Amino acid sequence: MLLALIAPLLAVFWRGLAESAAGVGIWQELLDLFGRQSVRASIRFSLGQAAVSAALSVLIALPGGYLLSHISFPGRRAIQGITLLPFVLPSLVIVLAVISMYGRSGLLNTLLGSSASTIYSPFGIILAHVLFNISVALRMLADGWQAVDEQLCEASSSLGESFFRRLWRLDIPLLMPAILSSFTAIFLYCLMSFGIVLVFGGLQYSTMEVRIYQEMFQQLNLPGASLLAFLQLAIAGCCVLLLQFGIPHRVRRKGGLLQLRSWRSRRRLTRWLTVFYWTAVGMIFFSPLATLIIRAFRPGGEWSLAAFAALLGDGRLGRRNLFAIIQSTLPEVLATSIGIALLSSLLAVSSAWLLARIVRGQRIPWLDSLLMLPLAISGVTLSLGLRLLLDGILPPLLVIALSQAIMSFPLAFRILRTSMDNYRSNYIEAAQSVGAGRFFRLWSLDVPLLAQGL
């Protein structure tokens, strides 16, 4: 898997350097690239929008993380599941949802009777990024709140400190590892964002990711694209190293799991603030997804199932032919999507399981950092490298599946390594003592015991 990751990067950089050497030279190419005002603006905007998006995500999620970790309010489990929904959706669906709600002909303008639209700007990019990443911040901060030792909170209360004083002097310092981790992770996601920036930013507000794509496929400037990819890789690599080594491990609780307070035991003001917070978050960030669903049932402004009938029929919806637009039929789209997803999952999970089995019970910090590298790789750069290496050798669908498997490998490895570390070694010893073979142990022990992680 590491070879599959490093080889495409080397292909991009080597090809770019070779073309630079054959042309004006590497240093002159570097000076020409960063001498362009548009390139410098893209770098500044990349860092700025990622920082603002990450900061807003963390600030908005702080109260939510507290509520999820401290109060057993009605609908808590449902909210935990719903907040994960935007993160697992494709970025294009998030784009369509934001346009459906906040676009010129979106629901908000329809209700207000106006036609204003500000989403095709940095505002739209940041709004979509926060919507996409708020679930990450909520989960990481909720875990961080649960790690704060309750005995310290009780000692603070016994000394007469108010809630806000304890929050500032005790909770926030102890929560800082979770705050920094969530900020850095979201910053990395936003730095690598492509589809959202391309739609809402266009040429005026392009990031390094979009600029790499433009330099390669529009300007046909592979040396410039390689230099920008190297710069982005260096920035993202620093973020990954910060996540691994620069942020201290969170404080572990001494007294077990945090006991959630019952909803009725909380003061009325606390209950009203809880309802207000989740209502506001739902209205601002999750109403776009609801609006997208509603519009699917209102083609042409009237309630009907015509859009679904068109997908299941001949594809004709009014004057449009949906299959001519997407250049495929619905069965072909579903088969391609599910096929790529299954193949990518098989490649990522099988390689992650094999490595987790090899390193079970061992702590190898440098290996953990190395296996986090896919998080620091631009999707555009990886795709470009795989295209340079495998174009004409493997079918395009297999190359796509390979790129998806590489990008998802860190997540699969972390999950399976945790499951494998909880795998008791005496099970293996008992199976070996009765002469069980390797494949028998695989199907009778590994698969059942690792079923949840797999």
Side-chain angles (χ1 to χ4, degrees):
M1 186 60 70
L2 285 175
L3 179 61
L5 172 67
I6 295 172
L9 298 181
L10 292 178
V12 173
F13 296 143
W14 179 259
R15 183 81 169 267
L17 291 175
E19 291 194 11
S20 295
V24 297
I26 298 174
W27 291 111
Q28 187 60 44
E29 184 71 46
L30 188 66
L31 292 175
D32 291 344
L33 181 69
F34 293 105
R36 288 156 50 188
Q37 196 276 334
S38 59
V39 173
R40 297 198 303 272
S42 294
I43 296 172
R44 289 195 301 269
F45 183 70
S46 293
L47 300 174
Q49 63 83 22
V52 173
S53 299
L56 286 176
S57 299
V58 171
L59 286 174
I60 294 170
L62 265 174
Y66 176 85
L67 295 174
L68 288 173
S69 60
H70 285 75
I71 302 175
S72 180
F73 54 87
R76 177 176 172 273
R77 288 185 177 273
I79 288 176
Q80 283 182 310
I82 292 172
T83 53
L84 187 61
L85 183 60
F87 188 70
V88 299
L89 288 174
S91 59
L92 185 58
V93 174
I94 300 298
V95 167
L96 292 174
V98 172
I99 293 174
S100 296
M101 182 66 185
Y102 299 107
R104 193 175 301 278
S105 58
L107 179 61
L108 185 61
N109 277 325
T110 301
L111 296 175
L112 298 177
S114 62
S115 60
S117 177
T118 58
I119 59 173
Y120 297 101
S121 67
F123 170 77
I125 294 172
I126 292 171
L127 175 64
H129 279 164
V130 175
L131 169 60
F132 196 72
N133 292 295
I134 192 171
S135 59
V136 177
L138 280 170
R139 299 224 164 204
M140 295 181 75
L141 292 173
D143 289 344
W145 279 112
Q146 288 182 330
V148 176
D149 197 335
E150 195 171 16
Q151 294 178 1
L152 297 176
C153 298
E154 293 172 354
S156 175
S157 299
S158 67
L159 294 174
E161 288 191 322
S162 65
F163 172 81
F164 291 103
R165 185 176 176 84
R166 184 175 71 247
L167 177 69
W168 181 252
R169 297 186 59 187
L170 179 65
D171 290 349
I172 294 299
L174 292 177
L175 194 63
M176 194 55 65
I179 292 175
L180 293 176
S181 295
S182 57
F183 176 88
T184 307
I186 296 172
F187 178 87
L188 191 59
Y189 287 133
C190 296
L191 185 71
M192 300 293 184
S193 178
F194 179 73
I196 289 173
V197 178
L198 191 62
V199 173
F200 291 138
L203 296 177
Q204 185 178 3
Y205 301 106
S206 62
T207 58
M208 283 190 286
E209 187 84 342
V210 175
R211 182 65 61 180
I212 292 169
Y213 176 82
Q214 291 171 341
E215 290 292 326
M216 176 57 202
F217 295 103
Q218 295 179 4
Q219 304 296 331
L220 302 179
N221 180 16
L222 182 55
S226 300
L227 290 172
L228 282 173
F230 182 78
L231 176 62
Q232 188 182 44
L233 177 62
I235 296 172
C238 291
C239 292
V240 171
L241 289 176
L242 180 63
L243 275 173
Q244 288 293 103
F245 300 109
I247 298 174
H249 296 292
R250 66 182 188 178
V251 179
R252 293 289 178 183
R253 295 181 56 81
K254 297 178 181 178
L257 295 175
L258 179 68
Q259 296 296 319
L260 294 173
R261 272 77 166 183
S262 68
W263 175 246
R264 294 186 179 277
S265 68
R266 309 307 292 171
R267 293 183 302 173
R268 178 174 297 181
L269 177 61
T270 302
R271 295 201 297 267
W272 276 108
L273 288 175
T274 302
V275 172
F276 173 78
Y277 172 82
W278 290 118
T279 302
V281 169
M283 289 296 294
I284 296 173
F285 296 110
F286 296 98
S287 57
L289 297 176
T291 304
L292 189 63
I293 296 172
I294 292 172
R295 290 191 66 168
F297 290 92
R298 287 179 58 86
E302 297 181 357
W303 293 97
S304 75
L305 297 175
F308 297 94
L311 281 177
L312 297 174
D314 60 3
R316 295 192 176 278
L317 182 62
R319 297 180 179 179
R320 300 176 180 177
N321 187 322
L322 302 180
F323 298 149
I325 294 173
I326 62 178
Q327 299 181 6
S328 291
T329 63
L330 182 61
E332 289 172 343
V333 170
L334 292 175
T336 302
S337 301
I338 295 173
I340 290 176
L342 288 175
L343 183 56
S344 302
S345 301
L346 180 63
L347 290 172
V349 172
S350 59
S351 56
W353 166 80
L354 182 61
L355 183 59
R357 185 180 178 87
I358 293 172
V359 301
R360 185 174 68 87
Q362 303 178 51
R363 287 294 164 220
I364 312 173
W366 64 266
L367 180 62
D368 291 335
S369 301
L370 197 61
L371 295 177
M372 289 286 286
L373 271 180
L375 296 179
I377 303 303
S378 157
V380 173
T381 303
L382 178 64
S383 303
L384 175 58
L386 288 173
R387 180 173 178 174
L388 292 173
L389 283 176
L390 303 175
D391 189 26
I393 299 175
L394 294 179
L397 291 182
L398 186 57
V399 177
I400 294 171
L402 179 60
S403 66
Q404 299 281 22
I406 293 171
M407 299 296 283
S408 58
F409 177 81
L411 175 64
F413 177 73
R414 286 207 163 197
I415 293 173
L416 288 175
R417 182 165 191 180
T418 301
S419 300
M420 190 67 74
D421 286 346
N422 295 329
Y423 187 161
R424 295 175 59 180
S425 59
N426 58 350
Y427 291 157
I428 301 176
E429 295 169 358
Q432 289 175 335
S433 67
V434 296
R438 184 181 300 275
F439 290 102
F440 178 82
R441 296 200 306 269
L442 171 65
W443 290 109
S444 61
L445 287 178
D446 280 27
V447 172
L449 292 175
L450 302 176
Q452 186 175 5
L454 289 170

